[in-house]
Coordinates of all heavy atoms in Angstrom, one line a residue:
M1 N 0.8 -1.2 0.0 CA 0.0 0.0 0.0 C 0.9 1.2 0.0 O 1.9 1.3 0.7 CB -0.9 0.0 1.2 CG -1.9 -1.1 1.3 SD -3.2 -1.0 0.0 CE -4.5 -0.1 0.9
A2 N 0.4 2.2 -0.7 CA 1.1 3.5 -0.8 C 0.1 4.6 -0.5 O -1.1 4.4 -0.8 CB 1.8 3.7 -2.1
T3 N 0.6 5.7 -0.1 CA -0.3 6.8 0.2 C -0.2 7.9 -1.0 O 0.9 8.2 -1.4 CB 0.1 7.5 1.5 OG1 0.0 6.6 2.5 CG2 -0.9 8.7 1.8
Y4 N -1.4 8.2 -1.6 CA -1.4 9.1 -2.7 C -2.2 10.3 -2.3 O -3.1 10.3 -1.5 CB -2.1 8.5 -3.9 CG -1.3 7.3 -4.4 CD1 -1.6 6.0 -4.0 CD2 -0.3 7.4 -5.4 CE1 -0.9 4.9 -4.5 CE2 0.4 6.4 -5.8 CZ 0.1 5.1 -5.4 OH 0.8 4.0 -5.9
E5 N -1.8 11.5 -2.8 CA -2.5 12.8 -2.5 C -3.4 13.1 -3.6 O -3.1 12.9 -4.8 CB -1.4 13.9 -2.3 CG -0.7 13.8 -1.0 CD 0.2 15.0 -0.8 OE1 0.8 15.5 -1.8 OE2 0.3 15.5 0.4
Y6 N -4.5 13.6 -3.3 CA -5.5 14.1 -4.2 C -5.9 15.6 -3.9 O -6.1 15.9 -2.7 CB -6.8 13.2 -4.2 CG -6.5 11.9 -4.8 CD1 -6.0 10.8 -4.0 CD2 -6.7 11.6 -6.2 CE1 -5.8 9.6 -4.5 CE2 -6.4 10.3 -6.7 CZ -5.9 9.3 -5.8 OH -5.7 8.1 -6.3
R7 N -6.1 16.4 -4.9 CA -6.6 17.8 -4.7 C -7.9 18.0 -5.4 O -8.0 17.8 -6.6 CB -5.5 18.7 -5.2 CG -5.8 20.2 -4.9 CD -4.9 21.2 -5.5 NE -3.5 20.9 -5.2 CZ -2.9 21.3 -4.0 NH1 -3.6 22.1 -3.2 NH2 -1.7 21.1 -3.8
C8 N -8.8 18.5 -4.6 CA -10.1 18.8 -5.1 C -10.1 20.1 -5.9 O -9.1 20.9 -5.8 CB -11.1 18.9 -4.0 SG -12.8 19.3 -4.5
S9 N -11.1 20.4 -6.7 CA -11.1 21.7 -7.5 C -11.3 22.9 -6.5 O -11.0 24.0 -6.8 CB -12.2 21.7 -8.5 OG -13.5 21.4 -7.9
D10 N -11.9 22.6 -5.3 CA -12.0 23.7 -4.3 C -10.7 23.9 -3.5 O -10.7 24.8 -2.6 CB -13.2 23.5 -3.4 CG -13.0 22.3 -2.5 OD1 -12.0 21.6 -2.6 OD2 -14.0 22.0 -1.7
G11 N -9.7 23.2 -3.8 CA -8.4 23.4 -3.1 C -8.1 22.5 -2.0 O -7.0 22.5 -1.5
S12 N -9.1 21.7 -1.5 CA -8.8 20.8 -0.4 C -7.9 19.6 -0.8 O -8.1 19.1 -1.9 CB -10.1 20.3 0.3 OG -10.8 19.5 -0.7
L13 N -7.1 19.2 0.1 CA -6.1 18.2 -0.2 C -6.4 17.0 0.8 O -6.6 17.2 2.0 CB -4.7 18.7 0.1 CG -3.5 18.0 -0.6 CD1 -3.6 18.1 -2.1 CD2 -2.2 18.6 -0.1
F14 N -6.4 15.8 0.2 CA -6.6 14.6 1.1 C -5.7 13.5 0.6 O -5.3 13.5 -0.5 CB -8.1 14.2 1.2 CG -8.7 13.8 -0.1 CD1 -8.8 12.5 -0.4 CD2 -9.2 14.7 -1.0 CE1 -9.3 12.0 -1.6 CE2 -9.7 14.3 -2.2 CZ -9.8 13.0 -2.5
E15 N -5.6 12.5 1.4 CA -4.7 11.3 1.1 C -5.6 10.1 1.0 O -6.6 10.0 1.7 CB -3.6 11.1 2.1 CG -2.6 12.3 2.1 CD -1.6 12.1 3.2 OE1 -1.8 11.3 4.1 OE2 -0.5 12.8 3.1
A16 N -5.2 9.1 0.2 CA -5.8 7.8 0.1 C -4.8 6.8 -0.1 O -3.8 7.0 -0.8 CB -6.8 7.9 -1.1
S17 N -5.0 5.6 0.5 CA -4.1 4.5 0.4 C -4.6 3.5 -0.7 O -5.7 3.1 -0.7 CB -3.9 3.8 1.7 OG -3.3 4.7 2.6
H18 N -3.7 3.2 -1.6 CA -4.0 2.2 -2.6 C -2.8 1.3 -2.9 O -1.6 1.8 -2.6 CB -4.4 2.9 -4.0 CG -5.7 3.7 -3.9 ND1 -6.9 3.0 -4.0 CD2 -5.9 5.0 -3.7 CE1 -7.8 3.9 -3.9 NE2 -7.3 5.1 -3.7
P19 N -2.9 0.1 -3.4 CA -1.8 -0.6 -3.8 C -0.9 0.1 -4.8 O -1.5 0.8 -5.7 CB -2.3 -2.0 -4.3 CG -3.7 -2.0 -3.7 CD -4.1 -0.6 -3.5
I20 N 0.4 -0.1 -4.8 CA 1.2 0.6 -5.7 C 0.9 0.2 -7.1 O 0.8 -0.9 -7.5 CB 2.7 0.2 -5.4 CG1 3.1 0.8 -4.0 CG2 3.6 0.8 -6.5 CD1 4.5 0.5 -3.6
G21 N 0.7 1.3 -8.0 CA 0.4 1.1 -9.4 C -1.0 1.0 -9.7 O -1.4 0.9 -10.9
S22 N -1.9 1.0 -8.7 CA -3.3 0.9 -9.0 C -4.1 2.1 -8.5 O -5.3 2.0 -8.3 CB -3.9 -0.4 -8.4 OG -3.8 -0.3 -7.0
A23 N -3.5 3.2 -8.2 CA -4.2 4.4 -7.7 C -4.9 5.0 -8.9 O -4.4 5.2 -10.0 CB -3.2 5.4 -7.1
P24 N -6.2 5.3 -8.7 CA -7.0 5.9 -9.8 C -6.6 7.4 -9.9 O -6.0 8.0 -9.0 CB -8.4 5.8 -9.3 CG -8.3 5.7 -7.8 CD -7.1 5.0 -7.5
D25 N -6.7 7.9 -11.2 CA -6.4 9.3 -11.5 C -7.3 10.3 -10.8 O -6.9 11.4 -10.4 CB -6.4 9.6 -13.0 CG -5.2 8.9 -13.6 OD1 -4.2 8.6 -12.9 OD2 -5.3 8.6 -14.9
T26 N -8.6 10.0 -10.5 CA -9.5 10.8 -9.9 C -10.2 10.1 -8.8 O -10.5 8.9 -9.0 CB -10.5 11.5 -10.9 OG1 -11.3 10.4 -11.4 CG2 -9.9 12.3 -11.9
L27 N -10.6 10.7 -7.7 CA -11.4 10.2 -6.6 C -12.4 11.2 -6.2 O -12.2 12.4 -6.4 CB -10.5 9.9 -5.4 CG -9.8 8.5 -5.4 CD1 -9.0 8.4 -4.1 CD2 -10.7 7.4 -5.5
P28 N -13.6 10.8 -5.7 CA -14.5 11.8 -5.2 C -14.0 12.4 -3.9 O -13.4 11.8 -3.0 CB -15.8 11.0 -4.9 CG -15.3 9.6 -4.9 CD -14.1 9.4 -5.7
C29 N -14.1 13.7 -3.8 CA -13.7 14.5 -2.6 C -14.5 14.1 -1.4 O -15.7 14.0 -1.5 CB -13.8 16.0 -2.9 SG -13.4 17.0 -1.5
P30 N -13.8 13.8 -0.2 CA -14.6 13.4 0.9 C -15.4 14.6 1.5 O -16.4 14.3 2.2 CB -13.5 13.0 1.9 CG -12.3 13.6 1.4 CD -12.4 13.8 0.0
S31 N -15.1 15.8 1.2 CA -15.9 16.9 1.8 C -17.0 17.4 0.9 O -18.1 17.7 1.3 CB -15.0 18.1 2.2 OG -14.3 18.5 1.0
C32 N -16.8 17.5 -0.4 CA -17.8 18.1 -1.3 C -18.3 17.0 -2.3 O -19.3 17.2 -3.0 CB -17.3 19.3 -2.0 SG -16.0 19.0 -3.2
G33 N -17.6 15.9 -2.5 CA -18.1 14.9 -3.4 C -17.6 15.1 -4.9 O -17.9 14.3 -5.7
G34 N -17.0 16.2 -5.2 CA -16.6 16.5 -6.5 C -15.3 15.7 -6.9 O -14.7 15.1 -6.0
P35 N -15.0 15.6 -8.2 CA -13.9 14.9 -8.6 C -12.5 15.6 -8.2 O -12.4 16.8 -8.3 CB -14.0 14.8 -10.1 CG -14.8 16.0 -10.5 CD -15.7 16.3 -9.3
S36 N -11.6 14.8 -7.7 CA -10.3 15.3 -7.2 C -9.2 14.6 -8.0 O -9.3 13.4 -8.2 CB -10.1 15.0 -5.7 OG -11.2 15.5 -5.0
R37 N -8.3 15.4 -8.5 CA -7.2 14.8 -9.3 C -6.1 14.4 -8.4 O -5.8 15.1 -7.4 CB -6.8 15.8 -10.4 CG -7.8 16.1 -11.4 CD -7.3 16.9 -12.6 NE -6.2 16.2 -13.2 CZ -6.4 15.2 -14.2 NH1 -7.6 14.8 -14.5 NH2 -5.3 14.6 -14.7
R38 N -5.4 13.4 -8.9 CA -4.2 12.9 -8.1 C -3.1 14.0 -8.3 O -2.8 14.5 -9.4 CB -3.8 11.6 -8.7 CG -2.7 10.9 -7.9 CD -2.5 9.5 -8.3 NE -1.1 9.1 -8.2 CZ -0.6 8.1 -8.8 NH1 -1.3 7.4 -9.7 NH2 0.6 7.8 -8.6
V39 N -2.4 14.2 -7.2 CA -1.3 15.1 -7.2 C 0.0 14.3 -7.0 O 0.1 13.4 -6.1 CB -1.4 16.1 -6.0 CG1 -0.2 17.1 -5.9 CG2 -2.7 16.9 -6.1
F40 N 1.0 14.6 -7.8 CA 2.3 13.9 -7.7 C 3.2 14.8 -6.8 O 3.4 16.0 -7.1 CB 2.9 13.7 -9.0 CG 2.2 12.8 -9.9 CD1 1.2 13.2 -10.8 CD2 2.4 11.4 -9.8 CE1 0.5 12.3 -11.5 CE2 1.7 10.5 -10.5 CZ 0.7 10.9 -11.4
S41 N 3.6 14.2 -5.7 CA 4.5 14.9 -4.8 C 5.7 14.0 -4.4 O 5.8 12.8 -4.7 CB 3.7 15.3 -3.5 OG 3.2 14.1 -2.9
A42 N 6.7 14.7 -3.7 CA 7.8 13.9 -3.3 C 7.5 12.9 -2.3 O 6.6 13.1 -1.4 CB 8.9 14.9 -2.8
P43 N 8.1 11.7 -2.3 CA 7.8 10.7 -1.3 C 8.3 11.2 0.0 O 9.3 12.0 0.1 CB 8.5 9.5 -1.8 CG 9.6 10.0 -2.7 CD 9.0 11.2 -3.3
H44 N 7.7 10.6 1.1 CA 8.2 11.0 2.4 C 9.4 10.2 2.8 O 9.3 9.0 3.2 CB 7.0 10.7 3.4 CG 5.8 11.5 3.1 ND1 5.7 12.8 3.3 CD2 4.6 11.1 2.6 CE1 4.5 13.2 2.9 NE2 3.8 12.2 2.5
L45 N 10.5 10.7 2.5 CA 11.8 10.0 2.8 C 12.1 10.1 4.3 O 12.0 11.2 4.9 CB 12.9 10.7 2.0 CG 12.7 10.6 0.5 CD1 13.8 11.4 -0.2 CD2 12.6 9.2 0.0
S46 N 12.5 9.0 4.8 CA 12.8 8.9 6.2 C 14.3 9.3 6.4 O 15.2 8.8 5.8 CB 12.6 7.5 6.7 OG 13.1 7.5 8.1
R47 N 14.5 10.3 7.3 CA 15.9 10.7 7.7 C 16.1 10.5 9.2 O 16.9 11.1 9.8 CB 16.1 12.2 7.3 CG 16.1 12.4 5.8 CD 16.2 13.8 5.4 NE 16.9 14.6 6.4 CZ 17.2 15.9 6.3 NH1 16.7 16.5 5.2 NH2 17.8 16.6 7.1
S48 N 15.3 9.7 9.8 CA 15.3 9.5 11.2 C 16.6 8.9 11.8 O 16.9 9.1 12.9 CB 14.1 8.8 11.7 OG 14.1 7.5 11.2
G49 N 17.3 8.2 10.9 CA 18.5 7.5 11.4 C 19.7 8.3 11.2 O 20.8 7.9 11.7
S50 N 19.6 9.5 10.6 CA 20.8 10.2 10.3 C 21.4 10.9 11.5 O 20.6 11.2 12.4 CB 20.6 11.2 9.1 OG 19.8 12.2 9.6
Q51 N 22.6 11.3 11.4 CA 23.2 12.0 12.6 C 22.7 13.4 12.7 O 22.5 13.9 13.8 CB 24.8 12.0 12.4 CG 25.5 12.4 13.6 CD 27.0 12.2 13.4 OE1 27.5 12.0 12.3 NE2 27.8 12.4 14.5
A52 N 22.4 14.0 11.6 CA 21.8 15.4 11.6 C 20.5 15.4 12.3 O 20.1 16.2 13.1 CB 21.7 15.9 10.2
F53 N 19.7 14.4 12.0 CA 18.3 14.3 12.6 C 18.4 14.1 14.1 O 17.7 14.7 14.9 CB 17.6 13.1 12.0 CG 16.1 13.0 12.5 CD1 15.1 13.8 11.9 CD2 15.8 12.2 13.5 CE1 13.8 13.7 12.3 CE2 14.5 12.1 14.0 CZ 13.5 12.9 13.4
R54 N 19.4 13.2 14.5 CA 19.6 13.0 16.0 C 20.0 14.3 16.7 O 19.6 14.6 17.8 CB 20.6 11.9 16.2 CG 19.9 10.5 16.2 CD 20.9 9.4 16.5 NE 21.4 9.0 15.2 CZ 22.7 8.6 15.0 NH1 23.6 8.7 16.0 NH2 23.1 8.2 13.8
L55 N 20.9 15.1 16.0 CA 21.4 16.3 16.6 C 20.2 17.3 16.7 O 20.0 17.9 17.8 CB 22.4 16.9 15.7 CG 22.9 18.3 16.2 CD1 23.6 18.2 17.6 CD2 23.9 18.9 15.2
I56 N 19.4 17.4 15.7 CA 18.2 18.3 15.8 C 17.3 17.9 16.8 O 16.7 18.6 17.6 CB 17.5 18.4 14.4 CG1 18.5 19.1 13.4 CG2 16.2 19.1 14.4 CD1 18.0 19.0 11.9
D57 N 17.1 16.5 16.9 CA 16.1 16.0 17.9 C 16.6 16.3 19.3 O 15.8 16.7 20.2 CB 16.0 14.5 17.7 CG 14.8 13.9 18.4 OD1 13.8 14.6 18.6 OD2 15.0 12.8 18.9
S58 N 17.9 16.0 19.6 CA 18.4 16.2 20.9 C 18.4 17.7 21.3 O 18.2 18.1 22.4 CB 19.8 15.6 21.1 OG 20.7 16.4 20.4
T59 N 18.6 18.6 20.3 CA 18.6 20.0 20.5 C 17.2 20.5 20.9 O 17.0 21.3 21.9 CB 19.1 20.8 19.3 OG1 20.4 20.3 19.0 CG2 19.2 22.3 19.6
Q60 N 16.2 20.0 20.2 CA 14.8 20.4 20.5 C 14.4 19.8 21.8 O 13.7 20.5 22.6 CB 13.9 19.9 19.4 CG 14.1 20.6 18.1 CD 13.2 20.1 17.0 OE1 12.7 19.0 17.1 NE2 13.0 20.9 15.9
R61 N 14.8 18.6 22.2 CA 14.4 18.0 23.4 C 15.1 18.8 24.6 O 14.4 19.0 25.6 CB 14.9 16.6 23.4 CG 14.1 15.7 24.4 CD 14.5 14.3 24.3 NE 15.0 13.8 23.1 CZ 16.2 13.3 23.0 NH1 17.0 13.2 24.1 NH2 16.7 12.9 21.8
S62 N 16.4 19.1 24.5 CA 17.0 19.8 25.6 C 16.7 21.3 25.7 O 17.0 21.9 26.7 CB 18.6 19.7 25.4 OG 19.0 20.4 24.3
A63 N 15.9 21.8 24.8 CA 15.5 23.2 24.9 C 14.5 23.3 26.0 O 14.5 24.3 26.7 CB 14.9 23.7 23.5
A64 N 13.6 22.4 26.1 CA 12.6 22.4 27.1 C 12.9 21.7 28.4 O 12.5 22.0 29.5 CB 11.2 21.9 26.6
E65 N 13.7 20.6 28.2 CA 14.1 19.8 29.4 C 15.5 19.4 29.3 O 15.9 18.6 28.4 CB 13.2 18.5 29.3 CG 13.4 17.6 30.5 CD 12.5 16.4 30.3 OE1 11.3 16.6 30.0 OE2 12.9 15.3 30.5
P66 N 16.4 20.0 30.1 CA 17.8 19.7 30.0 C 18.1 18.2 30.3 O 17.5 17.6 31.1 CB 18.5 20.7 31.0 CG 17.4 21.2 31.8 CD 16.1 20.9 31.1
E67 N 19.2 17.8 29.7 CA 19.5 16.4 29.9 C 20.2 16.2 31.3 O 20.8 17.1 31.8 CB 20.5 15.9 28.9 CG 19.9 15.8 27.5 CD 20.9 15.3 26.5 OE1 21.9 14.7 26.8 OE2 20.6 15.5 25.3
V68 N 20.0 15.0 31.9 CA 20.5 14.7 33.2 C 22.0 14.5 33.1 O 22.5 13.8 32.2 CB 19.8 13.5 33.8 CG1 20.5 13.1 35.1 CG2 18.4 13.8 34.0
V69 N 22.8 15.2 33.9 CA 24.2 15.0 33.9 C 24.6 14.1 35.1 O 24.2 14.3 36.2 CB 24.9 16.4 34.1 CG1 26.4 16.2 34.1 CG2 24.5 17.3 32.9
N70 N 25.3 13.0 34.8 CA 25.7 12.0 35.8 C 27.1 12.2 36.4 O 27.4 11.7 37.4 CB 25.5 10.6 35.3 CG 24.1 10.2 35.0 OD1 23.2 10.7 35.7 ND2 23.9 9.4 34.0
T71 N 27.9 13.0 35.6 CA 29.2 13.2 36.1 C 29.5 14.7 36.3 O 28.7 15.5 35.8 CB 30.3 12.7 35.0 OG1 30.0 13.4 33.9 CG2 30.1 11.2 34.8
R72 N 30.4 15.0 37.2 CA 30.7 16.4 37.4 C 31.5 16.9 36.2 O 32.2 16.2 35.5 CB 31.4 16.6 38.7 CG 32.5 15.6 39.0 CD 33.0 15.9 40.4 NE 34.1 16.9 40.3 CZ 35.4 16.7 40.4 NH1 35.8 15.5 40.7 NH2 36.3 17.6 40.2
I73 N 31.5 18.2 36.2 CA 32.3 18.9 35.1 C 33.7 18.8 35.4 O 34.2 19.0 36.5 CB 31.9 20.4 35.0 CG1 30.3 20.5 34.8 CG2 32.6 21.1 34.0 CD1 29.8 21.9 34.9
P74 N 34.5 18.2 34.4 CA 35.9 18.0 34.6 C 36.7 19.4 34.8 O 36.3 20.4 34.1 CB 36.4 17.3 33.4 CG 35.4 17.6 32.4 CD 34.1 17.8 33.1
G75 N 37.7 19.4 35.7 CA 38.5 20.5 35.9 C 38.0 21.5 37.0 O 38.7 22.4 37.4
R76 N 36.8 21.2 37.5 CA 36.3 22.0 38.6 C 36.4 21.2 39.9 O 36.0 20.1 40.0 CB 34.8 22.3 38.4 CG 34.6 23.4 37.3 CD 33.1 23.8 37.4 NE 33.0 25.1 36.6 CZ 31.9 25.7 36.7 NH1 30.9 25.4 37.4 NH2 31.8 26.9 36.0
P77 N 37.0 21.8 40.9 CA 37.1 21.2 42.2 C 35.7 21.0 42.9 O 34.9 21.9 42.7 CB 38.0 22.1 43.0 CG 37.9 23.4 42.4 CD 37.6 23.2 41.0
R78 N 35.5 19.9 43.5 CA 34.2 19.7 44.2 C 34.4 20.2 45.6 O 34.8 19.6 46.5 CB 33.9 18.2 44.2 CG 32.5 18.0 44.8 CD 32.2 16.5 44.7 NE 30.8 16.4 44.3 CZ 30.3 15.3 43.8 NH1 31.0 14.2 43.6 NH2 29.0 15.3 43.5
R79 N 33.9 21.5 45.8 CA 34.0 22.1 47.1 C 32.7 22.8 47.4 O 32.2 23.5 46.5 CB 35.2 23.1 47.1 CG 35.5 23.6 48.5 CD 36.6 24.6 48.5 NE 37.5 24.6 47.3 CZ 38.0 25.7 46.8 NH1 37.9 26.8 47.3 NH2 38.8 25.6 45.7
A80 N 32.2 22.6 48.6 CA 31.0 23.2 48.9 C 31.2 24.7 49.1 O 32.1 25.1 49.8 CB 30.4 22.6 50.2
Q81 N 30.4 25.5 48.5 CA 30.5 26.9 48.6 C 29.7 27.4 49.8 O 28.6 27.0 50.0 CB 30.0 27.6 47.3 CG 30.4 29.0 47.1 CD 30.2 29.5 45.8 OE1 29.5 28.8 45.0 NE2 30.5 30.8 45.5
Q82 N 30.4 28.2 50.6 CA 29.7 28.7 51.8 C 29.0 30.1 51.5 O 29.7 31.0 51.0 CB 30.7 28.9 52.9 CG 30.1 28.9 54.2 CD 31.1 28.8 55.3 OE1 32.3 29.0 55.1 NE2 30.6 28.6 56.6
Y83 N 27.7 30.1 51.6 CA 27.0 31.3 51.3 C 26.7 32.2 52.6 O 26.4 33.4 52.5 CB 25.7 31.0 50.7 CG 25.8 30.4 49.3 CD1 25.7 29.0 49.1 CD2 26.1 31.2 48.2 CE1 25.9 28.5 47.9 CE2 26.3 30.6 47.0 CZ 26.2 29.3 46.8 OH 26.4 28.7 45.6
S84 N 26.8 31.5 53.8 CA 26.4 32.2 55.0 C 27.3 31.8 56.1 O 27.8 30.7 56.2 CB 24.9 31.9 55.3 OG 24.7 32.4 56.6
S85 N 27.6 32.7 57.0 CA 28.5 32.4 58.1 C 27.6 32.0 59.3 O 28.2 31.7 60.4 CB 29.4 33.6 58.4 OG 28.6 34.7 58.7
N86 N 26.3 32.1 59.2 CA 25.4 31.8 60.4 C 25.4 30.3 60.5 O 24.9 29.6 59.6 CB 24.0 32.4 60.1 CG 23.2 32.3 61.3 OD1 23.4 31.5 62.2 ND2 22.1 33.1 61.4
P87 N 25.8 29.7 61.7 CA 25.7 28.3 61.8 C 24.4 27.7 61.8 O 24.2 26.5 61.6 CB 26.4 28.0 63.2 CG 26.4 29.4 63.9 CD 26.3 30.4 62.8
L88 N 23.3 28.5 62.1 CA 22.0 27.9 62.1 C 21.5 27.6 60.7 O 20.6 26.8 60.5 CB 21.0 29.0 62.7 CG 21.2 29.2 64.2 CD1 20.2 30.3 64.7 CD2 20.9 27.9 65.0
H89 N 22.1 28.2 59.7 CA 21.7 28.0 58.3 C 22.1 26.6 57.9 O 21.5 26.0 57.0 CB 22.3 29.0 57.4 CG 21.7 30.4 57.5 ND1 22.2 31.5 56.9 CD2 20.6 30.8 58.2 CE1 21.5 32.6 57.2 NE2 20.5 32.2 58.0
R90 N 23.1 26.0 58.5 CA 23.5 24.6 58.2 C 22.4 23.6 58.6 O 22.4 22.5 58.1 CB 24.8 24.2 58.8 CG 25.9 25.0 58.2 CD 27.3 24.4 58.7 NE 28.2 25.5 58.7 CZ 29.0 25.9 59.7 NH1 28.9 25.2 60.8 NH2 29.8 26.9 59.6
T91 N 21.6 24.0 59.6 CA 20.5 23.0 60.1 C 19.3 23.1 59.2 O 18.4 22.3 59.4 CB 20.2 23.3 61.5 OG1 19.7 24.7 61.6 CG2 21.3 23.3 62.4
L92 N 19.2 24.0 58.3 CA 18.0 24.1 57.4 C 17.9 22.9 56.5 O 19.0 22.3 56.1 CB 18.0 25.4 56.6 CG 17.9 26.7 57.4 CD1 18.1 27.9 56.5 CD2 16.5 26.8 58.0
P93 N 16.7 22.5 56.2 CA 16.6 21.3 55.3 C 17.1 21.6 53.9 O 17.0 22.7 53.4 CB 15.1 21.0 55.2 CG 14.5 22.3 55.7 CD 15.4 23.0 56.6
R94 N 17.7 20.6 53.3 CA 18.3 20.8 52.0 C 17.5 20.1 50.9 O 16.8 19.1 51.2 CB 19.7 20.2 51.9 CG 20.6 20.9 53.0 CD 22.1 20.5 52.8 NE 22.9 21.2 53.8 CZ 23.4 22.4 53.6 NH1 23.2 23.0 52.5 NH2 24.1 23.0 54.5
P95 N 17.5 20.7 49.7 CA 16.6 20.0 48.7 C 17.2 18.7 48.3 O 18.3 18.4 48.4 CB 16.7 21.0 47.5 CG 17.9 21.8 47.8 CD 18.2 21.8 49.3
Ligands
ZN1 ZN1 -13.9 19.1 -2.5

């Protein structure tokens, strides 16, 4: 089965699935019932496996939700930074 596009004379576009090589040249429009001619368009090529697609996908994903980092940033010493000298602040609950 392949998906074919048809365009009605009123401009509406719809898709229909037919076996390859047996798609009719005209189909009745699902909205107005008029004859719709088949439109030849580029096939939907899959680029989901490419490295460029993965980069775009991870960039879009990290825009709203940053990725979890499991290791610390190299080159930075792991030292707790002291923001307050009040000893009572150490007893406050930590997140
Ligand atoms: Zn129509």
Side-chain angles (χ1 to χ4, degrees):
M1 294 293 263
T3 302
Y4 297 93
E5 283 186 325
Y6 290 88
R7 184 185 304 276
C8 180
S9 57
D10 65 359
S12 64
L13 200 67
F14 64 96
E15 296 179 341
S17 293
H18 293 280
I20 292 176
S22 67
D25 290 337
T26 60
L27 275 181
C29 175
S31 58
C32 70
S36 306
R37 294 192 58 84
R38 187 171 148 202
V39 178
F40 292 94
S41 59
H44 302 288
L45 299 175
S46 174
R47 294 174 31 180
S48 61
S50 71
Q51 193 172 10
F53 184 85
R54 275 184 269 140
L55 175 64
I56 292 170
D57 190 38
S58 72
T59 303
Q60 288 176 344
R61 201 174 339 116
S62 66
E65 181 178 317
E67 292 184 18
V68 174
V69 177
N70 294 328
T71 59
R72 45 181 272 253
I73 300 170
R76 285 190 163 192
R78 185 175 222 165
R79 191 178 343 144
Q81 196 169 3
Q82 197 169 16
Y83 295 101
S84 172
S85 59
N86 189 339
L88 292 176
H89 289 169
R90 289 191 210 126
T91 61
L92 291 174
R94 300 192 180 271

